[in-house]
Amino acid sequence: MVVAVTPSSPPQMVSISKNTNKNDDISYNSNHSLLVSSLSDCKDISQLKQIHALTLRTTLPHHYNTLFLYSRILHFASSADLDYAYRVFEQIENPNAFMWNTLIRACSQNADTKEQAIKVFHRMVEQASVLPDKHTFPFVLKACAYLFALLEGKQAHGQLIKHGFGSDVYISNSLIHFYATCGCLDLAEKVFENMLERSMVSWNVMIDAFVQFGEFDSALKLFVQMQNLFEPDGYTLQSIINACADLGALSLGMWINAYIMRKSDPGLVSNVLINNSLVEMYCKCGSLELAQQVFERMPKRDITSWNSIILGFAMHGKAEAALEYFDSLVKEGSILPNSITFVGVLSACNHRGLVKKGGEFFDLMIRSYNIPPVLQHYGCLVDLFARAGHIDEALDLVSNMPMKPDVVIWRSLLDACCKKNAGVELSEEVAKQIFESEGGVCSGVYVLLSRVYASASRWNDVGLVRKLMTDKGITKEPGCSSIEIDGIAHEFFAGDTSHPQTKEIYVVLDEVDERLKSIGYSPDYSQAPMVDELNNGKRHSLRLHSERLAIALGILNLKPGIPIRVFKNLRVCNDCHEVTKLISRIFNVEIIVRDRARFHRFKDGSCSCMDYW
């Protein structure tokens, strides 16, 4: 129904009163029903304005049904035209809690007006004519979370406690999300722990908070507790799969995959987000075969699906397979590559040193797909040139970039200078650029510079770098490696002696040393400690790198034929890379190592990276 009526007088302030004459109700109720019916059939803002005009013209300002009509008009306007909703709201003399909530919710759902949601809430509290209810606070907290408005969110927290909503499950869930989003994991956890009653959402939002903060062990422990009360849903599973991916917990990831298949729930089995997470998890856990299985059986895919498999193969150094998947994406034609796709493609070229191919894809991205290159694309290309030994080309690219290079780009250049023996002077100049860049002061830069000096046998300068770190209070990030055995993760730091099987581990390391000697192995001291020590001290430190301890535990406990999977927080050093190749041949074992940059698959004395990393 379209009611073509325009207001003949200025808008009236609408209020509510029950002191109306009963005889007036007969005709008024008929008109009221007509307006309600018109609002139910309303299709657009134009019709709404006509109905609003008729409401102004024909309703009694103080009739008890008038406020209901305005609440319906405001509700429709809030989703169609927020400015108009504001004007409607301002005409209402005594808006009720529903009307305040309607306006707050509308503001909180629009990225450009979330700050207005907080202001409307403050106005509601200040006027005090209507008290906030349990529906008010989730909208406000949502806006505060989006804006990282910690102070305003804490004020809302105080208000909800004041009004007796501290035990409301829905509000507590919003609080957990708000605090986690604002970086206050401890406060989010405190809210969760103090909840007298928890819903499935409560567990999901807390588990997801732990995952977002990298507290993967805590997320998994909470997941185990939750299973005693609730059956995991899609949101739970996606969060835990992401935790497994970052922890390298392949066994649990496989269990979750089997759980999804066993449930035979079409919604879970075909869920694109869950399948994307599974693909990424298997790639990060070093099982490309299982990643491919999940990808190939997906009934539907989005661009994230393709990006996950392309990035996964790139991370493993399988450039040819990554580029084949890119070709398949292009041939399929229903989905266009995006910016992330080309990060994956350029990374694949980078890990295999395909300099010409990388340049071609960079041009293809710009010319054929009109994707403007961002810093990450330039970073891939700079690293590709530098690691392939084309350091001059890399420096030219950095000079001609349309944006300022970040610390990551300068670090990749310094790393290339170190590996390619580009010269001390150039390395020092690159290091200077890092120190002058925002966020450039970190232990990794000093370590790289010390390696440059060590490679040039300038041990005095190595010592000066160490002294400079001490003076500035900068400590070298400790190497840490983990290995999963029978579903249990074992973590090692360099020189660790805390493991229950430490004695047996060091016996294995002694055996490894003896066998290495017998085949003429000579240690590479360039990445040993940053001070000039006796050769025995250097040799001792190298043999105690965290990944060697993890590999020794794997040799001790894993059955023959089972790959040893190690996850390391730093890049594998030259000496450990060479030793791991030799161990794979001597002990006839496959060793998969994920370091900070990529995967290395060691087998029969060689590595999948072909000594290029």
Side-chain angles (χ1 to χ4, degrees):
M1 173 181 288
V2 178
V3 186
V5 179
T6 56
S8 58
S9 59
Q12 305 174 66
M13 296 299 292
V14 181
S15 62
I16 183 168
S17 172
K18 293 188 178 180
N19 298 322
T20 55
N21 190 302
K22 291 183 179 180
N23 294 329
D24 293 336
D25 284 350
I26 298 174
S27 59
Y28 179 80
N29 287 339
S30 176
N31 182 57
H32 173 78
S33 299
L34 174 65
L35 291 169
V36 170
S37 176
S38 299
L39 282 168
S40 299
D41 296 333
C42 187
K43 297 293 190 297
D44 55 42
I45 193 68
S46 176
Q47 289 186 18
L48 181 73
K49 289 179 178 179
Q50 295 177 59
I51 296 169
H52 183 199
L54 183 60
T55 303
L56 288 168
R57 179 77 177 274
T58 62
T59 59
L60 300 173
H62 301 289
H63 195 281
Y64 60 87
N65 277 334
T66 302
L67 198 62
F68 172 76
L69 280 172
Y70 270 83
S71 68
R72 294 291 302 274
I73 292 170
L74 179 64
H75 178 72
F76 189 102
S78 66
S79 60
D81 187 334
L82 191 54
D83 290 335
Y84 189 72
Y86 262 103
R87 293 199 296 273
V88 171
F89 184 82
E90 296 302 334
Q91 293 174 14
I92 303 171
E93 185 176 349
N94 294 308
N96 58 23
F98 175 82
M99 292 178 169
W100 285 99
N101 292 343
T102 297
L103 197 59
I104 293 171
R105 178 183 60 186
C107 293
S108 69
Q109 291 175 338
N110 189 320
D112 297 326
T113 58
K114 290 186 185 293
E115 191 173 345
Q116 292 299 316
I118 300 173
K119 290 180 179 179
V120 173
F121 170 69
H122 285 166
R123 180 180 162 191
M124 180 185 188
V125 172
E126 288 168 1
Q127 290 187 7
S129 57
V130 177
L131 296 179
D133 62 20
K134 67 178 183 179
H135 301 292
T136 310
F137 294 101
F139 302 142
V140 176
L141 291 169
K142 177 182 178 181
C144 291
Y146 183 88
L147 295 170
F148 304 108
L150 182 60
L151 177 61
E152 289 80 359
K154 284 185 174 181
Q155 291 173 347
H157 190 176
Q159 284 290 329
L160 69 89
I161 291 175
K162 175 183 175 181
H163 292 291
F165 297 115
S167 60
D168 185 271
V169 176
Y170 187 57
I171 292 175
S172 295
N173 294 343
S174 298
L175 273 172
I176 294 170
H177 174 259
F178 158 70
Y179 280 125
T181 302
C182 290
C184 301
L185 183 62
D186 55 335
L187 295 178
E189 194 172 3
K190 186 176 180 181
V191 172
F192 179 81
E193 290 174 349
N194 290 336
M195 292 177 71
L196 301 177
E197 179 187 355
R198 299 181 184 125
S199 65
M200 167 69 84
V201 175
S202 312
W203 291 89
N204 283 347
V205 72
M206 193 67 238
I207 289 172
D208 188 61
F210 279 128
V211 173
Q212 296 303 319
F213 273 82
E215 299 286 343
F216 306 118
D217 287 329
S218 298
L220 295 182
K221 288 176 183 176
L222 208 61
F223 172 65
V224 172
Q225 295 175 34
M226 187 207 72
Q227 289 182 81
N228 296 324
L229 301 170
F230 295 99
E231 190 171 334
D233 63 8
Y235 295 102
T236 321
L237 296 173
Q238 190 178 352
S239 293
I240 294 302
I241 291 168
N242 292 337
C244 292
D246 286 283
L247 272 177
L250 180 61
S251 298
L252 180 58
M254 293 175 68
W255 179 87
I256 292 173
N257 193 358
Y259 173 86
I260 293 170
M261 302 301 292
R262 189 170 60 249
K263 285 273 293 180
S264 298
D265 181 347
L268 287 179
V269 174
S270 63
N271 186 287
V272 176
L273 295 177
I274 289 178
N275 283 319
N276 290 346
S277 296
L278 283 171
V279 171
E280 184 178 7
M281 181 272 295
Y282 280 130
C283 287
K284 286 188 173 181
C285 288
S287 182
L288 283 178
E289 299 81 3
L290 293 176
Q292 277 186 291
Q293 286 182 23
V294 174
F295 180 84
E296 296 298 340
R297 74 163 186 251
M298 288 176 70
K300 52 184 177 180
R301 308 183 184 109
D302 59 12
I303 188 58
T304 303
S305 314
W306 290 96
N307 290 346
S308 296
I309 198 71
I310 291 170
L311 284 163
F313 274 92
M315 185 168 49
H316 282 261
K318 302 287 187 180
E320 293 81 2
L323 300 183
E324 285 175 7
Y325 272 113
F326 175 80
D327 290 339
S328 298
L329 168 63
V330 172
K331 288 176 183 176
E332 189 175 275
S334 59
I335 302 174
L336 289 176
N338 64 9
S339 179
I340 298 174
T341 314
F342 281 96
V343 170
V345 170
L346 291 171
S347 296
C349 295
N350 188 10
H351 287 310
R352 286 298 299 274
L354 304 176
V355 177
K356 183 180 178 182
K357 200 79 174 172
E360 291 173 354
F361 277 114
F362 190 82
D363 292 337
L364 179 71
M365 175 182 72
I366 299 171
R367 295 175 183 174
S368 298
Y369 292 97
N370 296 317
I371 298 174
V374 296
L375 198 58
Q376 198 172 3
H377 297 120
Y378 281 107
C380 288
L381 205 57
V382 169
D383 198 35
L384 172 60
F385 287 153
R387 290 173 60 200
H390 304 298
I391 295 178
D392 289 339
E393 289 91 329
L395 289 170
D396 287 341
L397 182 60
V398 169
S399 300
N400 294 313
M401 283 167 49
M403 70 281 290
K404 185 179 179 180
D406 64 356
V407 175
V408 175
I409 288 178
W410 288 117
R411 283 179 192 163
S412 68
L413 278 168
L414 182 57
D415 184 52
C417 290
C418 178
K419 288 184 175 180
K420 299 300 179 181
N421 297 317
V424 174
E425 290 185 5
L426 178 58
S427 299
E428 288 175 333
E429 180 58 34
V430 174
K432 179 183 176 183
Q433 294 290 339
I434 298 174
F435 293 136
E436 292 177 354
S437 299
E438 183 179 351
V441 180
C442 74
S443 63
V445 179
Y446 290 94
V447 171
L448 285 173
L449 189 57
S450 73
R451 288 176 182 171
V452 171
Y453 290 136
S455 298
S457 297
R458 290 173 51 170
W459 299 109
N460 288 336
D461 288 326
V462 173
L464 288 174
V465 171
R466 181 61 176 266
K467 183 178 183 302
L468 187 61
M469 289 181 67
T470 303
D471 292 343
K472 290 181 175 292
I474 298 171
T475 57
K476 181 179 181 295
E477 183 180 359
C480 177
S481 298
S482 65
I483 180 172
E484 182 186 339
I485 298 175
D486 296 329
I488 299 173
H490 302 261
E491 191 173 71
F492 294 92
F493 288 90
D496 208 327
T497 58
S498 63
H499 195 274
Q501 289 185 275
T502 291
K503 185 176 179 180
E504 294 89 339
I505 289 170
Y506 280 80
V507 169
V508 172
L509 289 177
D510 289 338
E511 182 183 353
V512 168
D513 279 352
E514 290 300 319
R515 294 203 187 186
L516 290 175
K517 285 180 185 177
S518 68
I519 59 174
Y521 155 74
S522 178
D524 178 355
Y525 294 139
S526 66
Q527 295 179 25
M530 295 187 298
V531 292
D532 191 12
E533 299 175 349
L534 297 174
N535 281 353
N536 286 340
K538 291 180 180 179
R539 182 187 295 273
H540 183 70
S541 70
L542 284 171
R543 76 189 291 269
L544 298 184
H545 279 189
S546 61
E547 63 265 48
R548 299 199 194 183
L549 299 174
I551 291 170
L553 183 67
I555 292 173
L556 268 174
N557 293 285
L558 291 174
K559 296 178 181 179
I562 302 296
I564 297 174
R565 301 175 190 271
V566 176
F567 302 89
K568 182 177 172 65
N569 65 328
L570 303 176
R571 278 196 175 192
V572 174
C573 73
N574 293 339
D575 189 71
C576 286
H577 190 269
E578 184 62 28
V579 166
T580 307
K581 285 196 301 182
L582 295 173
I583 291 174
S584 72
R585 176 161 59 85
I586 294 170
F587 289 86
N588 191 28
V589 61
E590 183 179 3
I591 303 171
I592 300 170
V593 177
R594 186 182 83 188
D595 69 7
R596 176 177 284 177
R598 59 165 297 158
F599 270 90
H600 301 263
R601 188 180 294 262
F602 302 91
K603 191 173 183 180
D604 299 327
S606 63
C607 178
S608 59
C609 74
M610 301 180 185
D611 297 336
Y612 186 88
W613 84 98

